[in-house]
Amino acid sequence: MPDRDDVAYFGAGPAPLPTAVLQKGAEAFVNFENTGLSLAEISHRSTTANKILADTKAALTSLLSIPDNYEILFMHGGGSAEFSAVVHNLVAVWVEKRRRKAVADLGTDKDEQVIIEKVRREVRESLRLDYLVTGSWSLKASQEAANLLEPLGMGFTNVAVDSRESNGGKFGTVPPEKNWNLTPRRSEGGKGSAFLYYCDNETVDGVEFPHLPNCLDRSSQDKDDEVLVVADMSSNFLSRRVDVSKYAVIFGGAQKNIGITDVTLVIVCKDLLSSYPSPSFLHAVGVWSPPTILNWSIIAKNNSLYNTMPIFSIWIAGEVMRGLLHTHGEKGLAGQEALANQKAKIIYDVLDRHPEVYQVVPSTSVRSRMNICFRVRGGDATQEKTFLEYAEAQLLQGLKGHRSVGGIRASNYNAVPLKNVEKLAAYLEDFASKSHEGTKP
């Protein structure tokens, strides 16, 4: 039976966790800090649970230098639930902004039905949600938005870019910003979008934005022209520095770089949390109100404890975060970013040295540092099966590509140690050389 140190695991999620966190977690699962209780048993409203929430928020705030005007939420449902939450909450914010303007324009003494009719008309004529579709997850997010808004009609979800259109029907690129079909802003004679969503790193397709797109930088926008930028960072969260102030919302499932399943982190600008109209007003203008369990404002008011949260999972996330702070010290995420880049470069360098054997899926400029996707011998099924079988024999595990696209995927998350990356690189070299010779690796 192999020891944990013998296995090099590259699964895309659930992902590997630091061994030290797992060992400490095993103790906490049975008897947390000599209380005689498991962390899976304690009340989520206890002093202990509230301290765990506060400590985890503090660690995340330190890592990302989160400004005071942002709230950290712990949610259920993974990133997929946030596909819905983003639409429900930010459409509500958009409606409230129109309601307040209608009241200002028409007067506070105006009959509410007149206000409702004005805003209802604006919803039909002006509500637009922009999506950058660069991979499987952003595609799912845009489809969820279209489904939620379908009762209003068609055309409310604007796919500003679908990268398959310029790449032979497959994901693997991010077209230049000048080719994006964003909803025109006020300065461009339009009315702007309620928000713009993009997935910072596409887990399935191995596509990662190298940085926040220039046209979405809030610091260079007029207040009336400002776009609320929403980023799904589920699979590259805490792998590099991020200027949180340039985003309205950042969210991510925990099971990649943060911890175990059950927890979704949401970082949201506090100004948005106080900008919801009443449910009755939303319904009157034809928009669903956010379901309570997805309502960011309600979750924030209840310190993420509106219902029973998985305190053990939140504690694990906090341990991972504190581990990063301890490991990198004053460097913080700059240190983790350098390590992630180093590990990714080791693997890509080997792949690029043997183009006749390995073909990296995404374009060079948008290669993911987290999910390295490639084919063996142009996607030859027999060769890829052989590659995976020999890798498994050497305890290189979790390398099979997503079922929807096939191929090979090596996920280079934070907890994957450098020695495991070096082991994979050695296997890649060996397989390539033996492939030329026609012998077994």
Side-chain angles (χ1 to χ4, degrees):
M1 179 179 291
D3 186 76
R4 178 173 175 82
D5 287 340
D6 297 330
V7 175
Y9 183 60
F10 297 91
L17 285 162
T19 298
V21 172
L22 288 175
Q23 290 171 334
K24 193 173 180 181
E27 296 177 6
F29 198 76
V30 177
N31 184 357
F32 179 65
E33 294 185 351
N34 296 317
T35 60
L37 289 174
S38 166
L39 264 185
E41 297 173 322
I42 67 167
S43 168
H44 63 296
R45 302 198 188 282
S46 65
T47 301
T48 299
N50 275 271
K51 184 176 186 303
I52 288 171
L53 282 169
D55 289 348
T56 304
K57 286 184 180 181
L60 184 59
T61 298
S62 294
L63 282 168
L64 288 174
S65 301
I66 298 175
D68 292 340
N69 62 324
Y70 282 78
E71 186 68 64
I72 299 169
L73 309 177
F74 299 101
M75 306 280 287
H76 297 281
S80 295
E82 292 310 305
F83 295 165
S84 299
V86 164
V87 176
H88 283 301
N89 286 276
L90 295 186
V91 168
V93 168
W94 186 91
V95 168
E96 174 63 5
K97 187 175 181 179
R98 269 70 192 167
R99 188 196 68 81
R100 292 178 183 180
K101 187 175 188 308
V103 170
D105 291 346
L106 300 175
T108 55
D109 58 341
K110 205 68 174 178
D111 183 77
E112 186 179 27
Q113 192 58 39
V114 177
I115 304 293
I116 289 172
E117 289 299 328
K118 178 177 173 56
V119 176
R120 179 188 291 157
R121 186 167 56 252
E122 289 192 36
V123 167
R124 301 283 179 179
E125 295 174 356
S126 304
L127 177 61
R128 296 293 181 273
L129 317 181
D130 281 354
Y131 281 79
L132 306 182
V133 175
T134 56
S136 299
W137 290 111
S138 51
L139 176 62
K140 288 179 182 292
S142 69
Q143 291 170 336
E144 179 73 350
N147 289 338
L148 290 172
L149 296 179
E150 188 174 358
L152 290 174
M154 306 300 290
F156 293 96
T157 302
N158 172 45
V159 176
V161 62
D162 184 336
S163 63
R164 294 172 296 182
E165 295 176 358
S166 60
N167 194 47
K170 296 182 179 181
F171 293 120
T173 65
V174 175
E177 293 180 31
K178 64 182 180 180
N179 295 339
W180 298 357
N181 184 32
L182 299 171
T183 298
R185 302 174 185 177
R186 293 184 183 278
S187 61
E188 299 166 331
K191 297 184 178 180
S193 61
F195 63 82
L196 180 139
Y197 163 97
Y198 79 103
C199 182
D200 205 36
N201 183 77
E202 292 281 1
T203 319
V204 172
D205 308 284
V207 172
E208 183 176 28
F209 282 81
H211 53 74
L212 175 69
N214 295 327
C215 66
L216 304 182
D217 191 338
R218 298 172 80 187
S219 63
S220 62
Q221 298 169 7
D222 293 334
K223 186 67 176 176
D224 290 340
D225 240 8
E226 186 178 68
V227 176
L228 298 181
V229 177
V230 178
D232 177 354
M233 295 189 180
S234 291
S235 53
N236 64 353
F237 202 70
L238 301 185
S239 70
R240 64 183 178 187
R241 292 162 291 179
V242 173
D243 185 348
V244 173
S245 68
K246 294 184 177 182
Y247 298 83
V249 181
I250 294 171
F251 70 84
Q255 68 275 13
K256 312 290 187 183
N257 272 333
I258 311 169
I260 58 179
T261 57
D262 274 356
V263 176
T264 309
L265 280 82
V266 179
I267 304 170
V268 56
C269 186
K270 289 179 179 178
D271 288 347
L272 302 177
L273 300 176
S274 60
S275 301
Y276 291 59
S278 67
S280 60
F281 188 89
L282 283 169
H283 301 160
V285 299
V287 175
W288 293 108
S289 58
T292 301
I293 200 64
L294 297 180
N295 188 310
W296 295 333
S297 181
I298 290 175
I299 300 302
K301 289 174 183 175
N302 286 273
N303 189 32
S304 296
L305 295 173
Y306 178 83
N307 69 333
T308 307
M309 284 301 295
I311 297 301
F312 178 74
S313 300
I314 295 172
W315 178 83
I316 288 287
E319 286 296 306
V320 170
M321 294 172 192
R322 286 185 286 276
L324 288 172
L325 288 168
H326 176 76
T327 298
H328 298 294
E330 292 183 359
K331 292 181 180 179
L333 283 186
Q336 185 58 45
E337 182 175 358
L339 179 57
N341 292 346
Q342 177 190 2
K343 293 189 298 175
K345 185 177 185 302
I346 289 172
I347 298 174
Y348 280 124
D349 282 352
V350 178
L351 297 175
D352 289 339
R353 276 199 295 273
H354 303 282
E356 70 287 350
V357 179
Y358 306 119
Q359 295 79 45
V360 178
V361 173
S363 298
T364 303
S365 62
V366 292
R367 287 179 174 181
S368 171
R369 301 163 305 125
M370 297 289 102
N371 307 104
I372 299 169
C373 298
F374 60 96
R375 307 308 297 250
V376 178
R377 294 287 184 184
D380 181 278
T382 300
Q383 288 286 322
E384 291 188 339
K385 182 180 179 182
T386 300
F387 177 92
L388 291 170
E389 287 175 348
Y390 288 140
E392 287 278 345
Q394 296 188 31
L395 299 181
L396 294 162
Q397 298 181 1
L399 289 168
K400 188 175 182 179
H402 191 272
R403 63 187 182 278
S404 64
V405 296
I408 314 298
R409 173 175 57 177
S411 293
N412 173 40
Y413 294 129
N414 286 354
V416 174
L418 179 60
K419 68 180 182 65
N420 287 3
V421 169
E422 292 171 339
K423 181 178 179 180
L424 174 59
Y427 171 68
L428 289 168
E429 287 281 12
D430 188 48
F431 185 89
S433 63
K434 297 291 175 59
S435 179
H436 289 307
E437 298 169 6
T439 58
K440 295 181 179 180

Short mmCIF file of all heavy atoms in Angstrom, two decimals, residues 17-54:
data_model
loop_
_atom_site.label_atom_id
_atom_site.label_comp_id
_atom_site.label_asym_id
_atom_site.label_seq_id
_atom_site.Cartn_x
_atom_site.Cartn_y
_atom_site.Cartn_z
N LEU A 17 -4.79 18.57 -0.66
CA LEU A 17 -4.66 19.50 0.46
C LEU A 17 -3.30 19.32 1.11
O LEU A 17 -2.71 18.23 1.04
CB LEU A 17 -5.76 19.24 1.49
CG LEU A 17 -7.16 19.72 1.13
CD1 LEU A 17 -8.19 19.03 2.01
CD2 LEU A 17 -7.26 21.23 1.29
N PRO A 18 -2.78 20.34 1.77
CA PRO A 18 -1.51 20.18 2.49
C PRO A 18 -1.65 19.08 3.53
O PRO A 18 -2.62 19.02 4.29
CB PRO A 18 -1.29 21.55 3.14
CG PRO A 18 -2.09 22.51 2.30
CD PRO A 18 -3.29 21.73 1.85
N THR A 19 -0.67 18.18 3.59
CA THR A 19 -0.73 17.06 4.52
C THR A 19 -0.86 17.54 5.96
O THR A 19 -1.60 16.96 6.77
CB THR A 19 0.52 16.18 4.36
OG1 THR A 19 0.53 15.64 3.02
CG2 THR A 19 0.51 15.02 5.35
N ALA A 20 -0.17 18.61 6.29
CA ALA A 20 -0.23 19.13 7.67
C ALA A 20 -1.65 19.55 8.04
O ALA A 20 -2.09 19.35 9.18
CB ALA A 20 0.73 20.32 7.82
N VAL A 21 -2.38 20.11 7.07
CA VAL A 21 -3.77 20.52 7.33
C VAL A 21 -4.65 19.29 7.54
O VAL A 21 -5.51 19.26 8.42
CB VAL A 21 -4.30 21.39 6.17
CG1 VAL A 21 -5.81 21.64 6.33
CG2 VAL A 21 -3.55 22.71 6.11
N LEU A 22 -4.43 18.27 6.73
CA LEU A 22 -5.22 17.04 6.87
C LEU A 22 -4.95 16.37 8.21
O LEU A 22 -5.89 15.87 8.87
CB LEU A 22 -4.88 16.07 5.74
CG LEU A 22 -5.40 16.45 4.35
CD1 LEU A 22 -4.88 15.46 3.30
CD2 LEU A 22 -6.93 16.46 4.33
N GLN A 23 -3.70 16.35 8.64
CA GLN A 23 -3.37 15.72 9.92
C GLN A 23 -4.01 16.49 11.08
O GLN A 23 -4.57 15.88 12.00
CB GLN A 23 -1.85 15.66 10.08
CG GLN A 23 -1.18 14.67 9.13
CD GLN A 23 0.33 14.77 9.13
OE1 GLN A 23 0.89 15.83 9.43
NE2 GLN A 23 0.99 13.68 8.77
N LYS A 24 -3.94 17.78 11.02
CA LYS A 24 -4.57 18.59 12.07
C LYS A 24 -6.09 18.46 12.01
O LYS A 24 -6.77 18.42 13.04
CB LYS A 24 -4.14 20.06 11.92
CG LYS A 24 -4.47 20.93 13.11
CD LYS A 24 -3.87 22.32 12.96
CE LYS A 24 -4.21 23.19 14.16
NZ LYS A 24 -3.64 24.56 14.03
N GLY A 25 -6.60 18.38 10.76
CA GLY A 25 -8.03 18.22 10.58
C GLY A 25 -8.54 16.89 11.12
O GLY A 25 -9.67 16.81 11.64
N ALA A 26 -7.73 15.83 10.99
CA ALA A 26 -8.13 14.52 11.52
C ALA A 26 -8.34 14.59 13.03
O ALA A 26 -9.29 14.02 13.57
CB ALA A 26 -7.08 13.48 11.16
N GLU A 27 -7.46 15.33 13.71
CA GLU A 27 -7.61 15.50 15.15
C GLU A 27 -8.86 16.32 15.48
O GLU A 27 -9.63 15.98 16.38
CB GLU A 27 -6.38 16.18 15.73
CG GLU A 27 -5.09 15.37 15.60
CD GLU A 27 -3.88 16.12 16.13
OE1 GLU A 27 -4.07 17.22 16.71
OE2 GLU A 27 -2.76 15.63 15.97
N ALA A 28 -9.04 17.41 14.72
CA ALA A 28 -10.18 18.29 14.98
C ALA A 28 -11.51 17.60 14.70
O ALA A 28 -12.53 17.93 15.30
CB ALA A 28 -10.06 19.55 14.12
N PHE A 29 -11.49 16.64 13.80
CA PHE A 29 -12.72 15.95 13.44
C PHE A 29 -13.17 15.02 14.58
O PHE A 29 -14.35 14.72 14.70
CB PHE A 29 -12.53 15.13 12.16
CG PHE A 29 -13.81 14.75 11.50
CD1 PHE A 29 -14.53 15.69 10.77
CD2 PHE A 29 -14.31 13.46 11.59
CE1 PHE A 29 -15.73 15.35 10.16
CE2 PHE A 29 -15.51 13.11 10.98
CZ PHE A 29 -16.23 14.06 10.26
N VAL A 30 -12.22 14.61 15.40
CA VAL A 30 -12.55 13.72 16.52
C VAL A 30 -12.69 14.50 17.83
O VAL A 30 -13.65 14.32 18.58
CB VAL A 30 -11.47 12.63 16.67
CG1 VAL A 30 -11.77 11.74 17.89
CG2 VAL A 30 -11.40 11.77 15.42
N ASN A 31 -11.73 15.38 18.08
CA ASN A 31 -11.72 16.11 19.35
C ASN A 31 -11.05 17.45 19.13
O ASN A 31 -9.82 17.55 19.15
CB ASN A 31 -10.98 15.30 20.41
CG ASN A 31 -11.02 15.94 21.79
OD1 ASN A 31 -11.56 17.03 21.98
ND2 ASN A 31 -10.45 15.25 22.78
N PHE A 32 -11.86 18.49 18.92
CA PHE A 32 -11.32 19.81 18.58
C PHE A 32 -10.81 20.52 19.82
O PHE A 32 -11.57 20.80 20.76
CB PHE A 32 -12.39 20.66 17.90
CG PHE A 32 -11.92 22.04 17.52
CD1 PHE A 32 -10.91 22.21 16.58
CD2 PHE A 32 -12.46 23.16 18.12
CE1 PHE A 32 -10.47 23.47 16.24
CE2 PHE A 32 -12.03 24.43 17.79
CZ PHE A 32 -11.02 24.59 16.84
N GLU A 33 -9.51 20.76 19.84
CA GLU A 33 -8.85 21.52 20.91
C GLU A 33 -9.27 21.02 22.30
O GLU A 33 -9.58 21.80 23.21
CB GLU A 33 -9.15 23.02 20.75
CG GLU A 33 -8.53 23.60 19.48
CD GLU A 33 -8.71 25.10 19.37
OE1 GLU A 33 -9.48 25.68 20.18
OE2 GLU A 33 -8.08 25.70 18.48
N ASN A 34 -9.32 19.69 22.44
CA ASN A 34 -9.61 19.04 23.72
C ASN A 34 -10.96 19.43 24.32
O ASN A 34 -11.13 19.48 25.55
CB ASN A 34 -8.49 19.33 24.73
CG ASN A 34 -7.16 18.75 24.30
OD1 ASN A 34 -7.10 17.62 23.83
ND2 ASN A 34 -6.09 19.53 24.45
N THR A 35 -11.91 19.71 23.43
CA THR A 35 -13.26 20.02 23.91
C THR A 35 -14.09 18.76 24.09
O THR A 35 -15.17 18.80 24.69
CB THR A 35 -14.00 20.93 22.91
OG1 THR A 35 -14.09 20.26 21.64
CG2 THR A 35 -13.27 22.25 22.74
N GLY A 36 -13.60 17.64 23.54
CA GLY A 36 -14.39 16.42 23.58
C GLY A 36 -15.42 16.34 22.48
O GLY A 36 -16.18 15.37 22.40
N LEU A 37 -15.44 17.34 21.63
CA LEU A 37 -16.39 17.39 20.53
C LEU A 37 -15.67 17.52 19.19
O LEU A 37 -14.60 18.13 19.12
CB LEU A 37 -17.35 18.57 20.68
CG LEU A 37 -18.39 18.50 21.79
CD1 LEU A 37 -19.14 19.83 21.88
CD2 LEU A 37 -19.37 17.35 21.55
N SER A 38 -16.27 16.95 18.17
CA SER A 38 -15.77 17.12 16.81
C SER A 38 -16.19 18.48 16.27
O SER A 38 -17.26 19.00 16.65
CB SER A 38 -16.32 16.01 15.91
OG SER A 38 -16.12 16.33 14.55
N LEU A 39 -15.39 19.03 15.37
CA LEU A 39 -15.80 20.26 14.70
C LEU A 39 -17.03 20.04 13.85
O LEU A 39 -17.72 20.98 13.48
CB LEU A 39 -14.67 20.80 13.82
CG LEU A 39 -13.77 21.88 14.44
CD1 LEU A 39 -12.79 22.38 13.40
CD2 LEU A 39 -14.60 23.03 14.99
N ALA A 40 -17.32 18.79 13.51
CA ALA A 40 -18.53 18.48 12.76
C ALA A 40 -19.75 18.43 13.65
O ALA A 40 -20.88 18.31 13.16
CB ALA A 40 -18.37 17.15 12.03
N GLU A 41 -19.56 18.54 14.96
CA GLU A 41 -20.66 18.41 15.92
C GLU A 41 -21.05 19.73 16.58
O GLU A 41 -22.19 19.89 17.02
CB GLU A 41 -20.29 17.41 17.01
CG GLU A 41 -20.07 15.99 16.51
CD GLU A 41 -19.53 15.08 17.60
OE1 GLU A 41 -18.69 15.53 18.42
OE2 GLU A 41 -19.94 13.90 17.61
N ILE A 42 -20.11 20.66 16.66
CA ILE A 42 -20.39 21.87 17.45
C ILE A 42 -21.47 22.72 16.77
O ILE A 42 -21.66 22.67 15.56
CB ILE A 42 -19.12 22.72 17.65
CG1 ILE A 42 -18.63 23.29 16.33
CG2 ILE A 42 -18.04 21.92 18.34
CD1 ILE A 42 -17.59 24.37 16.49
N SER A 43 -22.16 23.51 17.57
CA SER A 43 -23.19 24.40 17.04
C SER A 43 -22.56 25.47 16.15
O SER A 43 -21.53 26.05 16.50
CB SER A 43 -23.93 25.08 18.19
OG SER A 43 -24.74 26.14 17.70
N HIS A 44 -23.22 25.74 15.03
CA HIS A 44 -22.71 26.79 14.15
C HIS A 44 -22.95 28.17 14.74
O HIS A 44 -22.47 29.17 14.21
CB HIS A 44 -23.35 26.68 12.76
CG HIS A 44 -24.83 26.86 12.75
ND1 HIS A 44 -25.70 26.01 13.38
CD2 HIS A 44 -25.62 27.82 12.17
CE1 HIS A 44 -26.94 26.42 13.20
NE2 HIS A 44 -26.92 27.52 12.48
N ARG A 45 -23.68 28.26 15.84
CA ARG A 45 -23.90 29.55 16.49
C ARG A 45 -23.10 29.68 17.79
O ARG A 45 -23.28 30.64 18.54
CB ARG A 45 -25.39 29.74 16.78
CG ARG A 45 -26.23 29.65 15.52
CD ARG A 45 -27.61 30.24 15.68
NE ARG A 45 -28.44 29.97 14.52
CZ ARG A 45 -28.37 30.60 13.36
NH1 ARG A 45 -27.47 31.56 13.21
NH2 ARG A 45 -29.16 30.29 12.35
N SER A 46 -22.22 28.74 18.02
CA SER A 46 -21.41 28.77 19.23
C SER A 46 -20.31 29.82 19.13
O SER A 46 -19.99 30.32 18.04
CB SER A 46 -20.77 27.40 19.47
OG SER A 46 -19.85 27.10 18.42
N THR A 47 -19.72 30.15 20.27
CA THR A 47 -18.58 31.07 20.31
C THR A 47 -17.43 30.54 19.47
O THR A 47 -16.75 31.28 18.75
CB THR A 47 -18.13 31.30 21.76
OG1 THR A 47 -19.22 31.82 22.52
CG2 THR A 47 -16.97 32.27 21.82
N THR A 48 -17.21 29.22 19.56
CA THR A 48 -16.13 28.59 18.80
C THR A 48 -16.35 28.76 17.31
O THR A 48 -15.42 29.12 16.56
CB THR A 48 -16.05 27.09 19.14
OG1 THR A 48 -15.78 26.94 20.53
CG2 THR A 48 -14.95 26.41 18.33
N ALA A 49 -17.57 28.51 16.86
CA ALA A 49 -17.87 28.63 15.43
C ALA A 49 -17.71 30.06 14.95
O ALA A 49 -17.15 30.31 13.87
CB ALA A 49 -19.28 28.14 15.14
N ASN A 50 -18.15 31.02 15.75
CA ASN A 50 -18.02 32.42 15.34
C ASN A 50 -16.56 32.85 15.28
O ASN A 50 -16.18 33.65 14.43
CB ASN A 50 -18.81 33.31 16.31
CG ASN A 50 -20.27 33.43 15.93
OD1 ASN A 50 -20.65 34.31 15.15
ND2 ASN A 50 -21.09 32.53 16.45
N LYS A 51 -15.76 32.31 16.18
CA LYS A 51 -14.32 32.62 16.14
C LYS A 51 -13.68 32.03 14.88
O LYS A 51 -12.82 32.66 14.24
CB LYS A 51 -13.62 32.09 17.38
CG LYS A 51 -12.14 32.47 17.45
CD LYS A 51 -11.49 32.01 18.74
CE LYS A 51 -10.06 32.53 18.86
NZ LYS A 51 -9.20 32.13 17.73
N ILE A 52 -14.08 30.83 14.50
CA ILE A 52 -13.55 30.22 13.29
C ILE A 52 -13.91 31.06 12.07
O ILE A 52 -13.06 31.30 11.19
CB ILE A 52 -14.08 28.77 13.15
CG1 ILE A 52 -13.42 27.88 14.18
CG2 ILE A 52 -13.85 28.23 11.73
CD1 ILE A 52 -14.01 26.49 14.29
N LEU A 53 -15.14 31.53 12.01
CA LEU A 53 -15.55 32.41 10.91
C LEU A 53 -14.69 33.67 10.88
O LEU A 53 -14.19 34.07 9.83
CB LEU A 53 -17.03 32.79 11.06
CG LEU A 53 -18.07 31.75 10.65
CD1 LEU A 53 -19.45 32.19 11.12
CD2 LEU A 53 -18.07 31.56 9.15
N ALA A 54 -14.54 34.30 12.04
CA ALA A 54 -13.78 35.55 12.12
C ALA A 54 -12.30 35.32 11.74
O ALA A 54 -11.71 36.12 11.01
CB ALA A 54 -13.88 36.14 13.52
#
